[in-house]
Amino acid sequence: MTNPDDLLVAIAAMVESQHSSQMSLTVVIPGAVITGRLAPEALWKERVAEVLRDSEHLRRFAAAFAPSQDSGAGKPEDDERPTYLHFHLARILQGSFGIPDTGGMYRVALEDVSAWTVGDIGYSDQ
């Protein structure tokens, strides 16, 4: 998909502007279906950095997720449209299973989304 869905871009912008992480969304991208909650980019980066800092082997990569000085802590400018969805507590659906069990952190390019729906799609933990 070359042009992202304008409605999906509007939802992403609302998540960013309201700093809300309560919006559940399911998206279809090439090779995967991802379901979970959207998070503002700055919050997503902060949580990824926390996970990396807690890992002895991956700690040095946490710096890549630190807010840059010139970007306003990851917050897009008012006239800048979001280009990514940031998921937390998310799972990739494989058959009737959601992986990982605990939910993961995924960044999805809006232009790659071919279908979407509001809410989580159910899956089996068995």
Side-chain angles (χ1 to χ4, degrees):
M1 188 171 199
T2 56
N3 292 320
D5 181 317
D6 287 337
L7 184 54
L8 190 55
V9 171
I11 290 170
M14 290 178 77
V15 168
E16 287 293 331
S17 69
Q18 296 174 11
H19 303 289
S20 171
S21 60
Q22 299 302 309
M23 179 60 153
S24 294
L25 197 72
T26 299
V27 298
V28 176
I29 60 172
V33 174
I34 297 177
T35 189
R37 286 191 186 165
L38 294 178
E41 181 177 3
L43 176 63
W44 182 86
K45 285 181 175 180
E46 180 182 314
R47 289 189 178 164
V48 171
E50 288 172 6
V51 170
L52 293 171
R53 276 192 298 271
D54 289 344
S55 170
E56 181 179 337
H57 301 291
L58 301 175
R59 187 172 294 136
R60 67 178 181 261
F61 293 101
F65 293 89
S68 63
Q69 303 295 41
D70 60 345
S71 70
K75 183 180 175 187
E77 299 296 323
D78 290 337
D79 60 348
E80 187 177 324
R81 291 170 45 114
T83 55
Y84 291 91
L85 296 171
H86 296 87
F87 285 91
H88 71 110
L89 303 174
R91 291 173 176 82
I92 296 175
L93 299 181
Q94 294 290 322
S96 61
F97 295 97
I99 53 176
D101 290 337
T102 57
M105 307 287 286
Y106 299 100
R107 178 175 162 121
V108 175
L110 280 161
E111 67 183 14
D112 290 340
V113 176
S114 60
W116 61 276
T117 188
V118 172
D120 291 327
I121 291 181
Y123 59 90
S124 171
D125 286 335
Q126 301 171 12

